[in-house]
Amino acid sequence: MTVMTQAPARPQSGSTFESLNPATGEVVGTHPVQTEEEVRAAVARARGEAAWWDGLGFDGRKKHLNAWKTLMTQRLPELAELVSQEMGKPAADAMLEAALAVDHIAWAAGHAKKVLGRRKVSSGLLMVNQSASVAFKPLGVVGVIGPWNYPVFTPMGSIAYALAAGNAVVFKPSEYTPGVGGWLVQTFHEAVGRPVLQLVTGLGETGSFLCRAGVDKLAFTGSTATGKKVMAACAETLTPVVIEAGGKDSVIVDADADVEAAADAALWGACSNAGQTCIGVERVYVHEKVYDEFVSTILAKASGLEAAEGAKIGPITMPSQVGVIRSHVQDALDRGGRALLGGVDAVGDRFVQPTILVDVPEDSLAVQEETFGPTLTIAKVRTMDEAVEKTNATRYGLGNTVFSKANGMAIAERVRSGMTAVNGVITFAGIPSLPFGGVGDSGFGRIHGPEGLKEFTYAKAIARQKFKPMINLTSFERTEKADKQLVQVLGLLHGRGKKK
């Protein structure tokens, strides 16, 4: 959830900004606010490297990307500490995030050749004299605007896959986590020895500069509102975009579910990373037969869980989000909801304590809008039809979770979302072969998996004549006889269906 705030004036060369520790307010680092000219220069440098990088071929790029992931793995504690300082999440969670990112680099590097390399396709009987094949070619330079909530894992879903596909990349990290972005670019340069991956830092205006700097595609992760601004900026030059925006993910708990596992997953999905997860849990719909058991179980598990410096739940990274969280909780309570845990008083200046709400109307802010904090609404439903209907009744469609022993897959198929986890939570994000992305206001396009590799390419089709055709259709010398033969062939191929 990155915000591209509009700067009051165009930045001057030499301007800087600071990244702060959200738990303490201490300065973590100072970084340049890069001008439009500097951003364009970075894109130009990347374009100069793109031909060399593409020319390495899949095997050459795999070697370099593996060297990068090896270096990252060796220095993983250093990266986790930096993520913890800039973003605020506990060091153990930062380590998990970084580890998953390394695994995605390995998958992208190892599968690019199979997914994108030239392969034969059927030419069909009508064009039997042709050999048909398709390959996926790199676009050139890909711009990536990353978020602050997962400053390693999330942008790597675009960076690693774009690089593996043969593109150079210009990366603009969030203004809240620029040091993490700089670390990633620096280690890449150390491992590869060439600036195929470029860094630009700054505030929201720097992101808008990147949109207009001539990249061949722009990958953005952040809020839906900012995603619309990114699209508008990219539309000026017809630059295609990949948008991974907000979510309002649910957990659906069926009558036959493992209630303890479902409660544990819902609590972790709602409160890990202080609730600052696009695919985090914000709503739970529980079958009436197990509702009371679920509520008592999750409250017991939440007992003693707190947000504090050094605790399992860290601070709210973006100060303005605190007001959003407070307004959602207040709206829920004003409209008849009850706080079984936490409440408005749980929303502090830097930390928000876990909050569990029940009896919240379905049209309230806490149910319909992305809260992005450690809060959860729980609702009782009579049937799984009702649970699916309510899950699908928001403008978002990113991910969700289903807990059911007998009907998990059937329920999952009916949910309007890009991803679903059955009897687990957010598990799809850790599987590199699965595409990641949403529908509706959650965005479009995909990262991860084969689809993620293809997202940063264009399809190049080639038809090669193997022998002269018996009927030459592409010539002004085509005869009336050839036309009749074509009709006869079509009749044999496609005209034998049963008459109605």
Side-chain angles (χ1 to χ4, degrees):
M1 187 173 178
T2 280
V3 173
M4 294 173 67
T5 52
Q6 197 66 29
R10 295 177 70 83
Q12 301 296 316
S13 182
S15 299
T16 61
F17 70 105
E18 296 175 333
S19 62
L20 306 176
N21 185 322
T24 65
E26 296 175 352
V27 175
V28 178
T30 301
H31 305 270
V33 178
Q34 294 184 300
T35 65
E36 183 173 13
E37 292 72 22
E38 289 169 330
V39 173
R40 288 186 176 275
V43 173
R45 286 193 298 272
R47 195 166 300 284
E49 293 295 318
W52 173 80
W53 184 247
D54 181 27
L56 292 175
F58 294 111
D59 293 336
R61 292 192 293 273
K62 178 181 178 181
K63 178 181 177 181
H64 283 300
L65 289 171
N66 282 339
W68 185 30
K69 60 104 172 172
T70 298
L71 181 60
M72 286 180 61
T73 302
Q74 293 169 347
R75 294 167 59 179
L76 215 56
E78 176 186 322
L79 175 59
E81 177 61 24
L82 181 56
V83 170
S84 184
Q85 288 180 4
E86 278 201 320
M87 190 264 150
K89 71 177 62 180
D93 289 350
M95 184 74 78
L96 174 61
E97 174 189 345
L100 290 174
V102 167
D103 196 41
H104 273 275
I105 296 173
W107 192 93
H111 289 79
K113 186 174 184 178
K114 179 180 179 181
V115 173
L116 305 177
R118 186 160 293 281
R119 60 183 177 85
K120 290 184 177 181
V121 297
S122 172
S123 58
L125 290 176
L126 193 62
M127 302 294 286
V128 70
N129 71 308
Q130 298 289 325
S131 173
S133 65
V134 63
F136 294 86
K137 300 290 189 178
L139 296 169
V141 177
V142 171
V144 176
I145 298 177
W148 50 262
N149 58 332
Y150 288 89
V152 180
F153 175 75
T154 300
M156 197 61 73
S158 298
I159 293 171
Y161 288 76
L163 288 170
N167 301 281
V169 174
V170 180
F171 176 35
K172 191 273 179 190
S174 167
E175 54 266 40
Y176 292 97
T177 54
V180 175
W183 191 97
L184 294 175
V185 173
Q186 179 60 37
T187 53
F188 179 89
H189 290 179
E190 290 179 28
V192 177
R194 297 280 292 261
V196 180
L197 176 60
Q198 292 279 318
L199 175 74
V200 294
T201 57
L203 307 179
E205 193 173 18
T206 307
S208 70
F209 293 156
L210 183 57
C211 293
R212 298 177 172 92
V215 295
D216 298 291
K217 193 162 196 174
L218 194 289
F220 167 81
T221 303
S223 70
T224 300
T226 306
K228 292 176 180 179
K229 295 178 182 178
V230 167
M231 288 183 65
C234 289
E236 295 174 10
T237 52
L238 210 62
T239 300
V241 295
V242 182
I243 301 289
E244 195 265 279
K248 194 69 183 176
D249 293 8
S250 77
V251 169
I252 294 174
V253 184
D254 202 355
D256 68 343
D258 181 334
V259 173
E260 184 172 352
D264 187 71
L267 182 63
W268 187 85
C271 295
S272 64
N273 205 37
Q276 301 167 125
T277 303
C278 293
I279 51 172
V281 177
E282 299 205 0
R283 304 175 288 157
V284 185
Y285 297 105
V286 189
H287 196 285
E288 60 184 5
K289 291 183 179 179
V290 293
Y291 176 82
D292 291 339
E293 181 186 358
F294 179 89
V295 170
S296 62
T297 301
I298 197 170
L299 286 174
K301 288 182 176 292
S303 177
L305 189 64
E306 68 169 336
E309 188 176 357
K312 291 184 178 180
I313 301 177
I316 300 302
T317 306
M318 193 168 68
S320 63
Q321 196 64 28
V322 172
V324 174
I325 299 168
R326 184 181 290 109
S327 69
H328 285 197
V329 174
Q330 187 66 64
D331 178 68
L333 298 176
D334 289 346
R335 301 186 63 194
R338 296 183 293 124
L340 301 184
L341 181 70
V344 175
D345 293 340
V347 183
D349 293 333
R350 296 184 186 273
F351 295 90
V352 175
Q353 303 305 321
T355 294
I356 296 177
L357 305 165
V358 297
D359 302 331
V360 180
E362 286 296 304
D363 59 351
S364 67
L365 294 174
V367 175
Q368 291 297 321
E369 299 296 329
E370 187 177 39
T371 306
F372 231 58
T375 67
L376 191 65
T377 65
I378 305 175
K380 182 191 299 183
V381 295
R382 291 173 307 226
T383 66
M384 290 297 96
D385 288 343
E386 182 183 353
V388 171
E389 181 181 356
K390 289 182 175 179
T391 286
N392 291 343
T394 75
R395 56 196 177 96
Y396 297 104
L398 194 53
N400 103 297
T401 290
V402 175
F403 273 88
S404 176
K405 293 176 181 176
N407 302 309
M409 287 296 294
I411 297 169
E413 291 281 11
R414 298 171 57 197
V415 174
R416 181 179 175 268
S417 66
M419 301 85 64
T420 293
V422 177
N423 296 327
V425 65
I426 313 181
T427 49
F428 44 76
I431 302 174
S433 57
L434 282 179
F436 184 103
V439 296
D441 273 20
S442 291
F444 52 85
R446 293 296 182 266
I447 58 175
H448 302 176
E451 293 81 1
L453 285 167
K454 290 180 180 179
E455 192 73 54
F456 301 104
T457 65
Y458 67 93
K460 174 65 175 181
I462 297 179
R464 178 180 59 83
Q465 182 173 281
K466 296 186 293 185
F467 53 85
K468 290 185 183 254
M470 298 199 52
I471 307 174
N472 190 358
L473 302 175
T474 56
S475 171
F476 285 116
E477 296 181 2
R478 190 175 71 234
T479 64
E480 184 178 344
K481 179 181 179 181
D483 289 338
K484 291 180 180 180
Q485 289 175 327
L486 174 61
V487 172
Q488 291 173 343
V489 170
L490 283 175
L492 293 171
L493 292 176
H494 308 296
R496 292 186 173 185
K498 291 183 179 180
K499 295 182 179 180
K500 292 183 179 180

